[in-house]
Each structure stands twice: as structure tokens, then as C-alpha cells.
Amino acid sequence: MSDVVAYAVVIALLFQAVWRAPAAFRGQVRERSLWGSFAALAIAWFLRTPAGHWLVEQSGVDELAYLLKHLLTIAGLCALLRYVTAIDAAQVATGASPGRRVKITSRAQRWAPAAGLLAAALMTATFVFALDRSGPEQAHFMQRHAGEAGLAVYMGLFYLFSGLVIGLCGYQWGSKARDARGALRVGLGLMGGGMAAGTLYCLIRLIYGFVNAATPMPADFAALQETITDSLLYACFMLWTLGAVAPATQAVTTRYRTIAHTIRLHRLWADMTLVNPDLVAYPPSQRLVGRPGAVLLNTTLDVLSRQMSPAFRLGRYITEIHDAILELRRRAPQHLYASALLAAERDGHQGQDAEIVAQAYWLRAALARVDHQPHQPVDFPANIGESLADERAWLLKVAFAYRTISRATALAILSDAPQPA
């Protein structure tokens, strides 16, 4: 059963490494460090499996798989600590004041690579010169070298370094989880819980390594210790990998919502910017106009273009629609909004719903008069609010109503409004 769980952890870590590889090659220190951590730890876990152990042992160096596994783990943990520190550095760069938590991990990260390299060198020297590998190989590394002083040195270095780094990461994520919300809080909580299990695992193994080096433990006790610590190790990595997915899931959800909002605004944006081309960074696509599928094709080209990110594009749509409204106010009849509001109320809309529909009527009718000579801006009570999010929420409602309005309805509203002199 333990081998099945080990393979499952390998698959989970490899999935994370492959998934994050594109971001690592395009990104900065943070993305590369997280990818490097997942990649190194995935290989380390593979060496823990029978297949990985057998593959390395074909080199002829007895127990080389154990040494490589431990060295890769140290490298992966150094990369993980660098990732955590890079996140804090990015926040400090925006003007946030570094707290005690940030200062602690920043100082630890400065020394972690050197400490990890020193630990790896001493462990390798101990492995080569101080561990007796002449006896028969056993299922567990500690059982084979029970009673050897070199075991205390080797395991002491490995678990002391690992425990400190894992504990620091858990401290970071656990502290951040208190202030986070939604999927990010869940993810940080899972990663913090995984690091707590990993720290306890390292502590137990550290103590057991010293005790077993001094006095070999009975087989039953050794088996019980392996069962307990393996369970903690599995929990550590499964919780960490699951937790690492949660913030990414939130990012994917946010990206999907952003694209969906952009699609909902697209028709309003395209209609308004086609008559005001000087106001837009990129004009709407006009491929195969009038032919079947043209609307879907042009919407897809505009919304999924790689010229800008989804969030930036949505912001541009909102800004450009707002600018186009200002221009329309200079060309619309003076009392057009009053006529639009009366039409909305005649159609059965009331309160805020009537205002939204009236604004959609006004936009549709005003677009039919874009050829009129400019004059002083007319009133248009847009419910914009005080932030981009407020303006987005208002525009989404107006855009929804706008899509249901025919040109005939707009012209009828326009004919009811007094024409400017």
C-alpha cells in the first residue's frame, strides 16, 4: 500500500511540475523556484519507489538511491524556501512594510543555499566514508545502519535542515492563511497543515536516528516508527500539492470570469468604438461581416487576442466604453434620456431596473445619431460608482439590456425626443 501512495505522490508532483513549466520558463524567480521545487521533489519521491530504487542501483553503487533522494530533497526545499521569500519580496517591492515573519524567512533564505550545500557535502562524505555498507541490504536505510555513529551524523544533518526549512514554510503559509480569503485561504491552510505534518515527521525521524545510532531498536518498534512517520510524510506532500492547486484554481476561475465579462461587454464595446475609432487602442475585428458565423469569429478574435492579458483587455473595454459615452453625450438630443426612461417604464420596468434599461435605450438611440453636429454634453445619469469594479458591474447590466434592443425601438425613442437646434 505504501508503494501505491508513493507513486501517487510522484504523479501529483510531476503534474504540478509539468503544469507550471510554461510559467517557469516565462516567469521570474518565483515561478522558476516553485517549478524547480516540484521537479526536484518529484524525482526524489520516484527514487523512493521500487522502480526508482532499482533503476539507480543498476549503477553498482550500493544505496546510492538513498543518497540521491536526500540530496534532491535538500535542493527541492532550498528552491521552495526561495519561492516563499520571492513572494514576500514582491509584496515589499509594492510598498508593503516587511513584518517580522518576512524578515525571518528573508534572513533564512540568505543562508539556506550555503547551509544546504554544506549539509549535502557532509552527508555525501559520511555516506562514502562513515557508513558500513558491507552487510546485507535491508528494506530500510536506518535499520541497516543501526548502531553506527555515522547514521546519527547523516540523518542529523538531513532532518535538521529539512525540518527547519519545512517549518519556516509552514510558518509563512499558516500566517498568511489568517488574512486570506476564499480559495487562497483554503490553499494556504492546506499547505500550512502539510508543512506541520512534515515538521513533525522530521522531528520524529531526527530523534529516532540518534536513538537508533546509539542503540539499535527492536524490529517491531522500527516497523511502528516507519508506519507513523510514513503517514506523516504522505500527509505532508499530499496536503502541500493539493494546497498549491487551490490558489491556481482561484486564478483560473478569475481568468474565466474576466473573459466571460469581456464577452458580455463585447457587442456594446464594438458598436460604440466602431463609430469612435480614435478612442480605442485596437479597433474591433471586422472579418467576414454579414456572413454566417461572423459575429462569433470577430468576438473570439477580439476577446482571445494575445495582444493583452484578459484583465487588461476588460479594463480597456470599460475605459473605452466610458470614453465613447462622453463623446455620445455631445451628439445626443438634450431630452433623449427622459424619453428613454419613459419607454423603459412603459415596458414594465421599475426602479433601478428601469434606469438600467433606459440607459441601454439611450445608448442604442444615441448611436443612431452619431452623424449629428457636436454640442454641449447632455445629461446621462450613469451609475458608474467610485471604482472600476463598480463601473464594470453597471456596464454588464447595461450591456445585457442593450443586446435585446432593436434598431426600430431605438429610432422610435429617438423620434420622441426633441431634436437639438
Side-chain angles (χ1 to χ4, degrees):
M1 180 62 182
S2 61
D3 291 339
V4 174
V5 178
Y7 283 117
V9 174
V10 171
I11 292 172
L13 292 172
L14 280 176
F15 171 78
Q16 289 276 7
V18 172
W19 180 26
R20 298 176 186 277
F25 291 118
R26 294 194 307 265
Q28 302 300 320
V29 172
R30 182 171 61 183
E31 292 79 10
R32 291 197 299 269
S33 297
L34 184 58
W35 173 81
S37 178
F38 277 119
L41 293 173
I43 299 173
W45 267 90
F46 176 68
L47 296 180
R48 182 185 176 89
T49 65
H53 189 85
W54 175 85
L55 186 64
V56 175
E57 291 303 308
Q58 301 310 302
S59 66
V61 180
D62 194 19
E63 293 188 325
L64 179 61
Y66 290 105
L67 176 63
L68 292 179
K69 176 182 68 175
H70 293 145
L71 297 184
L72 283 167
T73 300
I74 289 175
L77 291 177
C78 284
L80 183 61
L81 183 60
R82 190 184 185 194
Y83 162 73
V84 173
T85 309
I87 294 177
D88 290 326
Q91 293 175 348
V92 172
T94 62
S97 176
R100 183 181 62 178
R101 171 182 59 79
V102 176
K103 292 178 180 178
I104 290 174
T105 50
S106 178
R107 291 171 183 169
Q109 199 278 327
R110 292 195 198 103
W111 294 98
L117 186 61
L118 178 60
L122 293 176
M123 287 170 59
T124 302
T126 303
F127 177 85
V128 174
F129 299 110
L131 292 180
D132 181 12
R133 300 193 305 279
S134 61
E137 184 175 355
Q138 297 188 31
H140 299 290
F141 186 81
M142 282 194 181
Q143 291 178 8
R144 184 178 187 183
H145 299 289
E148 298 181 30
L151 179 66
V153 176
Y154 184 94
M155 288 305 183
L157 289 167
F158 177 68
Y159 286 116
L160 180 62
F161 179 85
S162 299
L164 289 174
V165 173
I166 291 173
L168 277 172
C169 292
Y171 170 60
Q172 284 277 339
W173 290 325
S175 300
K176 291 182 179 180
R178 292 196 299 265
D179 301 324
R181 295 291 182 271
L184 181 59
R185 183 171 189 173
V186 172
L188 290 171
L190 287 173
M191 290 192 290
M195 295 301 104
T199 304
L200 182 58
Y201 162 82
C202 290
L203 179 61
I204 294 175
R205 296 284 283 182
L206 179 64
I207 295 173
Y208 179 76
F210 278 103
V211 172
N212 200 40
T215 305
M217 294 290 101
D220 291 344
F221 184 83
L224 176 62
Q225 179 273 147
E226 290 288 344
T227 300
I228 294 173
T229 53
D230 281 355
S231 298
L232 289 170
L233 186 61
Y234 297 148
C236 170
F237 277 86
M238 293 306 291
L239 288 174
W240 176 47
T241 52
L242 287 174
V245 170
T249 302
Q250 185 179 35
V252 170
T253 301
T254 301
R255 184 182 181 89
Y256 168 79
R257 186 183 299 114
T258 299
I259 294 175
H261 288 169
T262 307
I263 292 173
R264 288 168 60 185
L265 290 178
H266 181 267
R267 181 182 171 186
L268 177 61
W269 170 80
D271 287 354
M272 298 190 70
T273 55
L274 279 173
V275 299
N276 294 283
D278 295 337
L279 300 178
V280 297
Y282 299 99
S285 175
Q286 292 288 287
R287 307 285 179 84
L288 306 176
V289 176
R291 297 185 181 182
V295 174
L296 177 60
L297 172 63
N298 290 315
T299 301
T300 302
L301 291 174
D302 288 337
V303 172
L304 299 182
S305 170
R306 293 184 179 273
Q307 292 172 325
M308 60 186 76
S309 67
F312 184 78
R313 180 181 294 105
L314 179 59
R316 288 299 310 170
Y317 275 27
I318 293 171
T319 301
E320 289 165 359
I321 291 173
H322 178 72
D323 292 344
I325 289 174
L326 295 178
E327 183 63 26
L328 282 177
R329 288 175 58 196
R330 300 177 62 246
R331 297 178 178 272
Q334 180 67 39
H335 302 291
L336 179 59
Y337 183 76
S339 299
L341 184 58
L342 286 174
E345 291 173 347
R346 283 198 305 267
D347 291 342
H349 301 285
Q350 298 179 351
Q352 187 179 28
D353 184 41
E355 294 179 4
I356 292 294
V357 174
Q359 290 160 8
Y361 282 164
W362 186 93
L363 291 172
R364 194 76 170 87
L367 285 172
R369 287 294 303 272
V370 293
D371 59 339
H372 198 279
Q373 291 299 317
H375 50 77
Q376 289 296 318
V378 301
D379 293 334
F380 179 67
N383 303 327
I384 293 177
E386 298 181 354
S387 67
L388 189 64
D390 293 336
E391 189 168 2
R392 179 185 60 197
W394 163 68
L395 279 178
L396 287 171
K397 295 176 183 178
V398 173
F400 178 79
Y402 179 87
R403 290 196 297 268
T404 66
I405 303 170
S406 66
R407 179 174 175 80
T409 301
L411 291 175
I413 296 171
L414 187 62
S415 65
D416 292 339
Q419 303 301 307

